[in-house]
């Protein structure tokens, strides 16, 4: 198991065990909630899930669910995709783990929308929370995937002029690009910190029937993650400083595995 580990090493087994335990506890609590809705008039619903004050059981459930997501992100980050760049430093690991979290959260968006469609069109019982919850999750998917894309160097880049430059000019261009990113992050934090703090302190809500605190959480998270993106850009600059330019575009290479799968699929359809 350790041979297949990307960075966890001996901790891969304990992390996997912790992931399975907390996922099991989350599923057990979910089944218990369903049973409560069937046999009790005081069952907790989605309204109570975002208002845990005075409800210790809800708080415990949220903590267990958060730990399940945390350990799942850690465990999944210990493997590398076919065209994925491996982490090269301590900060890269942070970005990869958060990238795995965004992938998991994408699955939850699908599940939430699937639940809403079935509830609305099969049982004629639409929810009050599915749209807001999907927007809430999607906001974090958007932010975290941007950080992951920065770590993978997968943002759209045009090399027509860059490839014609000598190496010293390429390094200068990289420095200018990173300075622009850092400057944008500083300006965004400078201009948005007070507003983000006010929204967070009063836990500003969305103003709907379910009324989740989306503005009060997403706005501070936006500033935090843009700082992480800037730090990742600086980390990339140091990591790529002594690399040959041909080594820095590995994510743009053709995925031979995918091409082979497409070829096999076409042959099977003949």
């Amino acid at each position: 198991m350790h041979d297949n580990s990307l960075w966890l090493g001996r901790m891969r087994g304990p992390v996997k065990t912790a992931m399975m335990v907390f996922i099991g506890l989350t599923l057990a609590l979910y089944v218990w909630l369903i049973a409560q809705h069937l046999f009790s008039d005081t069952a907790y619903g989605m309204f109570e899930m975002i208002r845990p004050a005075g409800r210790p059981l809800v708080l415990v459930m949220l903590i267990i669910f958060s730990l399940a997501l945390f350990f799942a992100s850690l465990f999944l980050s210990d493997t590398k995709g076919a065209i994925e760049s491996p982490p090269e430093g301590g900060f890269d690991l942070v970005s990869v783990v958060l990238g795995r979290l965004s992938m998991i959260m994408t699955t939850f968006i699908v599940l939430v929308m699937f639940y809403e469609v079935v509830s609305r069109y099969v049982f004629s019982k639409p929810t009050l929370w599915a749209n807001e919850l999907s927007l809430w999750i999607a906001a974090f998917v958007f932010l975290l995937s941007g950080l992951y894309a920065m770590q993978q160097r997968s943002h759209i880049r045009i090399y027509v002029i860059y490839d014609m430059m000598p190496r010293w000019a390429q390094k200068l261009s990289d420095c200018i690009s990173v300075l622009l990113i850092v400057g944008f992050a500083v300006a965004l934090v400078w201009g948005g910190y007070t507003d983000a703090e006010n929204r967070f302190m009063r836990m500003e809500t969305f103003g709907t029937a379910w009324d989740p605190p989306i503005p009060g959480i997403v706005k501070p998270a936006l500033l935090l993650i843009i700082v992480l993106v800037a730090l990742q850009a600086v980390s990339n600059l140091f990591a790529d400083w002594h690399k040959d330019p041909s080594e820095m575009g590995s994510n743009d290479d053709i995925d031979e595995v995918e091409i082979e799968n497409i070829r096999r699929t076409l042959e099977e359809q003949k």
Side-chain angles (χ1 to χ4, degrees):
M1 179 181 294
H2 298 164
D3 295 337
N4 298 325
S5 175
L6 187 62
W7 65 278
L8 283 175
R10 295 182 177 180
M11 292 301 297
R12 180 180 174 88
V15 167
K16 181 178 180 180
T17 301
M19 176 188 71
M20 300 302 294
V21 168
F22 284 111
I23 289 177
L25 289 174
T26 301
L27 293 176
L29 288 172
Y30 179 72
V31 172
W32 181 79
L33 277 177
I34 294 177
Q36 263 203 331
H37 276 279
L38 293 175
F39 303 108
S40 175
D41 296 331
T42 59
Y44 291 139
M46 290 299 294
F47 186 85
E48 290 78 16
M49 286 295 133
I50 59 173
R51 296 168 179 85
R55 302 180 177 93
L57 183 58
V58 172
L59 186 59
V60 170
M61 293 174 63
L62 292 176
I63 292 174
I64 291 175
F65 181 65
S66 299
L67 289 173
L69 288 177
F70 173 72
F71 284 108
S73 301
L74 281 180
F75 180 74
L76 294 176
S77 69
D78 197 40
T79 56
K80 189 181 82 68
I83 59 173
E84 189 177 36
S85 297
E88 299 180 7
F91 197 82
D92 278 17
L93 294 176
V94 175
S95 299
V96 171
V97 171
L98 293 177
R100 293 297 190 271
L101 178 60
S102 69
M103 298 175 192
I104 297 172
M105 294 170 75
T106 303
T107 305
F108 279 103
I109 296 177
V110 175
L111 293 176
V112 169
M113 298 312 298
F114 177 78
Y115 181 90
E116 170 65 12
V117 169
V118 173
S119 179
R120 178 184 294 269
Y121 295 106
V122 177
F123 299 102
S124 299
K125 293 182 178 181
T127 68
L128 296 174
W129 49 265
N131 182 56
E132 285 82 6
L133 182 58
S134 61
L135 289 174
W136 202 354
I137 300 173
F140 280 94
V141 170
F142 174 79
L143 294 173
L144 296 177
S145 59
L147 174 61
Y148 175 71
M150 179 61 72
Q151 185 272 328
Q152 290 292 306
R153 289 84 162 166
S154 59
H155 286 112
I156 296 175
R157 296 176 292 180
I158 300 175
Y159 292 99
V160 175
I161 300 177
Y162 185 88
D163 288 344
M164 298 170 59
M165 295 179 176
R167 187 65 184 120
W168 67 266
Q170 292 178 343
K171 290 183 178 182
L172 178 61
S173 299
D174 294 338
C175 290
I176 294 174
S177 298
V178 171
L179 285 176
L180 291 174
I181 294 172
V182 172
F184 174 77
V186 171
L188 193 63
V189 173
W190 181 271
Y193 179 81
T194 301
D195 180 57
E197 182 184 23
N198 292 335
R199 290 172 185 264
F200 180 76
M201 294 305 295
R202 68 173 180 265
M203 199 51 65
E204 182 177 335
T205 56
F206 204 51
T208 58
W210 188 41
D211 207 22
I214 296 179
I217 293 179
V218 172
K219 184 59 181 291
L222 171 63
L223 301 185
L224 175 61
I225 295 175
I226 195 63
V227 171
L228 296 180
V229 170
L231 292 175
Q232 182 62 63
V234 174
S235 176
N236 290 351
L237 179 65
F238 282 102
D240 297 341
W241 191 257
H242 296 292
K243 287 183 179 180
D244 187 87
S246 61
E247 301 176 19
M248 296 157 52
S250 59
N251 286 342
D252 297 326
D253 294 342
I254 297 174
D255 184 0
E256 298 293 343
V257 176
E258 184 176 356
I259 291 178
E260 182 60 31
N261 290 336
I262 294 174
R263 184 182 294 111
R264 187 181 300 110
T265 301
L266 292 175
E267 293 176 353
E268 292 175 355
Q269 292 176 352
K270 292 181 180 179

